[in-house]
């Protein structure tokens, strides 16, 4: 596997012994993916000769509450203090976040001057949509580079991890928040109780905690295994979350399945005894989870592992046949999920000449471990590969639409997930 000889196995920094949601020790390994370097640990040219650590990607289920999770926890200071993912890179995602903000404002009656605090606010893209509607905003994100970027664009941002102590401080300096929002970061925290303690401290009595996470039911049914990487410690479903919030003085009042990231779950949570009645969607999704996830669990995870293996075989055979005919293949998109996919499927620089990515923060760097160069999208027209493997498959349609000239010149796109297709 390309640069595999430079990757050394190493113990993770911490292995949990208890469920992240219910504290049970009844945990069972259900999926063991290939160990990988940290998914976003992109490498500079000067670091190519430095050995990189690999960490286990072992997925466990709690037999008490059914929560799916990683137990191996990498120090968040390593994962999040300098971060390469930027929310505002994709216009499709920017538009999605605008609609998300508008939906929350309308449904929960937010008014001009209300305070919105975002946990994991990245470059401030989501908060900017609230600013445009006249709300006060404050971002909290441990990534210093992104916090600085947000500040420069006019979004006040604190470069810290969200904790109960910080919540108390923010309440004193900014007042209580009508909305706390956490967009695809609630799966990143090891100590979720601490996060919720902070939310309870900062939220108004009638406020809402809104968050989105990758939905395990979609991952499970569509075999979206590449969403599993070390930043994502939890793989959420509604049933375990309902119990978790109830044990921590809060109520899950609304849920919605959205198509983002191959299938995500949007949740609305209030303080216990808050004004919002529980929507029927909560119990409806719990019933659906019980139908698909609670019966035949061992068989189900075996089926999922077999689907992953089938996907690996289909893609590697396709790439081998293309190369046997003299075809050249490059990649498009270097999101974190790319690391999991390439290691699990055994891809390396022998199959992909380079990876084009829209983010200037990633261009000029190399992928973790395998060291495939990441370049500007302009290079697909300069180097003219015959195929582009769309590694950012959740944005495949948008990518293919923006690069129709690539296909019109006779080249093709390969989309690996959820189902392998050539376009």
């Amino acid at each position: 596997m390309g640069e595999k000889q430079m990757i050394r196995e190493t113990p993770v920094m911490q292995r949990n012994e208890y469920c992240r949601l219910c504290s049970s020790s009844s945990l069972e390994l259900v999926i063991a993916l290939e160990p990988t370097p940290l998914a976003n640990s992109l490498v500079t040219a000067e670091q190519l000769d430095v050995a990189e650590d690999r960490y286990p990607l072992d997925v466990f289920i709690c037999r008490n509450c059914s929560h799916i999770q990683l137990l191996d926890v990498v120090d968040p200071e390593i994962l999040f203090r300098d971060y390469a993912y930027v929310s505002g890179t994709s216009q499709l995602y920017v538009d999605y976040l605008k609609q998300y903000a508008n939906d929350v404002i309308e449904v929960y009656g937010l008014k001009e001057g209300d305070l919105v605090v975002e946990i994991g606010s990245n470059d401030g893209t989501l908060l900017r949509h609230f600013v445009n509607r006249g709300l006060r905003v404050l971002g909290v994100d441990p990534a210093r580079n992104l916090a600085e970027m947000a500040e420069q664009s006019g979004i006040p941002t604190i470069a810290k991890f969200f904790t109960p102590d910080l919540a108390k401080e923010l309440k004193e300096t900014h007042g209580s928040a009508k909305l706390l929002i956490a967009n695809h970061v609630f799966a990143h925290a090891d100590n979720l109780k601490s996060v919720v303690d902070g939310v309870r401290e900062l939220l108004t009595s009638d406020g809402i905690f809104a968050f989105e996470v990758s939905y395990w039911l979609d991952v499970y049914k569509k075999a979206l295994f590449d969403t599993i990487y070390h930043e994502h410690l939890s793989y959420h479903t509604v049933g375990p979350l309902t119990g978790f919030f109830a044990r921590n003085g809060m109520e899950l009042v609304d849920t919605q399945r959205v198509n983002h990231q191959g299938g995500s779950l949007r949740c609305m949570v209030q303080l216990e005894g808050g004004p919002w009645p529980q929507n029927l969607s909560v119990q409806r999704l719990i019933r659906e989870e019980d139908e698909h996830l609670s019966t035949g669990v061992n068989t189900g995870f075996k089926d999922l592992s077999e689907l992953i293996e089938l996907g690996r075989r289909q893609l590697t055979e396709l790439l081998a046949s293309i190369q046997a005919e003299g075809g050249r293949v490059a990649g498009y998109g270097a999101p974190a999920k790319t690391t999991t996919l390439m290691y699990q499927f055994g891809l390396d620089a022998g199959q992909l000449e380079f990876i084009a990515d829209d983010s200037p923060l990633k261009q000029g760097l190399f992928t973790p471990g395998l060291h495939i160069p990441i370049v500007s999208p302009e290079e697909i027209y300069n180097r003219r590969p015959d195929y582009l493997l769309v590694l950012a498959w959740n944005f495949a349609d948008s990518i293919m639409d923006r690069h129709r000239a690539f296909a019109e010149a006779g080249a093709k796109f390969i989309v690996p997930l959820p189902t392998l297709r050539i376009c």
Side-chain angles (χ1 to χ4, degrees):
M1 221 195 257
E3 303 297 329
K4 186 176 181 181
Q5 71 276 8
M6 300 198 313
I7 309 271
R8 58 188 173 89
E9 299 286 352
T10 182
V12 295
M13 301 191 74
Q14 172 188 335
R15 169 162 277 204
N16 288 348
E17 297 180 358
Y18 302 98
C19 174
R20 197 165 279 114
L21 292 191
C22 74
S23 300
S24 170
S25 61
S26 181
L27 300 160
E28 181 180 346
L29 176 67
V30 288
I31 302 175
L33 296 176
E34 286 292 318
T36 75
L38 302 181
N40 274 316
S41 58
L42 303 178
V43 177
T44 66
E46 293 74 23
Q47 296 170 321
L48 290 176
D49 292 330
V50 178
E52 296 171 62
D53 296 336
R54 286 201 298 159
Y55 299 88
L57 272 181
D58 294 338
V59 182
F60 291 79
I61 187 172
C62 173
R63 288 303 185 182
N64 181 56
C65 75
S66 299
H67 181 51
I68 306 295
Q69 58 205 292
L70 303 185
L71 299 183
D72 298 312
V73 182
V74 178
D75 186 348
E77 290 283 342
I78 297 172
L79 288 173
F80 300 117
R81 279 304 189 183
D82 186 70
Y83 206 59
Y85 173 76
V86 179
S87 297
T89 301
S90 166
Q91 186 58 48
L92 184 68
Y93 190 43
V94 172
D95 293 342
Y96 172 82
L97 292 178
K98 180 179 180 180
Q99 187 61 54
Y100 182 10
N102 289 338
D103 289 346
V104 176
I105 289 170
E106 298 304 324
V107 172
Y108 294 99
L110 273 67
K111 299 179 177 61
E112 287 190 20
D114 285 342
L115 177 63
V116 178
V117 175
E118 184 179 6
I119 303 168
S121 51
N122 201 267
D123 65 345
T125 296
L126 176 55
L127 287 179
R128 194 164 293 107
H129 296 306
F130 289 101
V131 170
N132 293 340
R133 294 287 300 270
L135 286 90
R136 294 185 296 131
V137 303
L138 180 65
V140 179
D141 197 299
R144 299 182 184 97
N145 62 321
L146 298 182
E148 182 179 355
M149 187 183 302
E151 282 277 357
Q152 290 175 351
S153 70
I155 302 299
T157 305
I158 297 174
K160 294 183 179 180
F161 289 97
F162 184 79
T163 65
D165 286 342
L166 180 61
K168 292 178 182 177
E169 179 183 327
L170 298 182
K171 187 175 181 179
E172 292 174 357
T173 57
H174 293 76
S176 297
K178 186 68 177 288
L179 172 68
L180 263 75
I181 196 161
N183 197 48
H184 286 273
V185 296
F186 197 62
H188 294 57
D190 181 31
N191 191 342
L192 289 175
K193 183 181 185 305
S194 175
V195 174
V196 172
D197 287 346
V199 169
R200 283 203 320 274
E201 175 68 31
L202 188 54
L203 201 62
T204 63
S205 60
D206 61 345
I208 282 291
F209 173 44
F211 67 91
E212 277 191 11
V213 288
S214 175
Y215 191 27
W216 177 253
L217 185 57
D218 286 304
V219 174
Y220 181 87
K221 293 174 69 175
K222 302 175 187 176
L224 305 179
F225 71 93
D226 61 344
T227 61
I228 300 171
Y229 48 90
H230 301 100
E231 294 171 18
H232 291 172
L233 295 172
S234 291
Y235 300 86
H236 287 296
T237 49
V238 178
L241 281 171
T242 301
F244 169 72
F245 283 114
R247 290 187 295 272
N248 286 279
M250 300 194 75
E251 300 173 340
L252 180 59
V253 295
D254 196 7
T255 56
Q256 181 183 353
R257 295 180 73 171
V258 292
N259 292 328
H260 180 60
Q261 298 284 18
S264 296
L265 177 69
R266 184 180 296 179
C267 296
M268 303 294 168
V269 187
Q270 68 180 353
L271 299 180
E272 187 176 29
W276 304 100
Q278 187 179 83
N279 191 285
L280 294 175
S281 63
V282 177
Q283 294 304 318
R284 184 171 64 247
L285 282 184
I286 290 175
R287 288 194 298 270
E288 187 172 352
E289 292 166 5
D290 288 342
E291 178 184 351
H292 291 282
L293 299 175
S294 297
T295 58
V297 168
N298 291 331
T299 301
F301 282 106
K302 181 175 182 293
D303 291 345
L304 176 56
S305 296
E306 290 176 351
L307 282 174
I308 295 170
E309 172 58 21
L310 175 62
R312 183 200 66 79
R313 190 168 62 250
Q314 289 177 335
L315 180 59
T316 53
E317 289 176 356
L318 172 61
L319 296 180
S321 67
I322 290 171
Q323 290 182 311
E325 296 173 356
R328 297 166 51 235
V329 184
Y332 199 105
K337 60 169 65 78
T338 295
T339 302
T340 301
L341 187 146
M342 290 198 299
Y343 270 86
Q344 188 65 30
F345 280 4
L347 305 182
D348 59 22
Q351 285 98 349
L352 299 180
E353 294 184 11
F354 61 87
I355 297 175
D357 193 275
D358 295 324
S359 173
L361 293 181
K362 298 181 181 182
Q363 294 162 12
L365 301 176
F366 298 79
T367 62
L370 303 175
H371 298 170
I372 299 173
I374 303 172
V375 301
S376 165
E378 294 176 1
E379 289 301 305
I380 66 176
Y381 301 99
N382 295 332
R383 304 191 193 186
R384 298 184 180 277
D386 301 292
Y387 291 84
L388 276 181
L389 177 63
V390 183
L391 298 161
W393 49 262
N394 48 308
F395 293 119
D397 290 340
S398 173
I399 290 169
M400 290 188 290
D401 184 59
R402 280 188 287 117
H403 294 285
R404 282 177 290 180
F406 177 76
E408 289 170 354
K412 294 183 178 180
F413 296 92
I414 303 170
V415 183
L417 293 172
T419 301
L420 180 65
R421 58 191 172 110
I422 301 175
C423 305

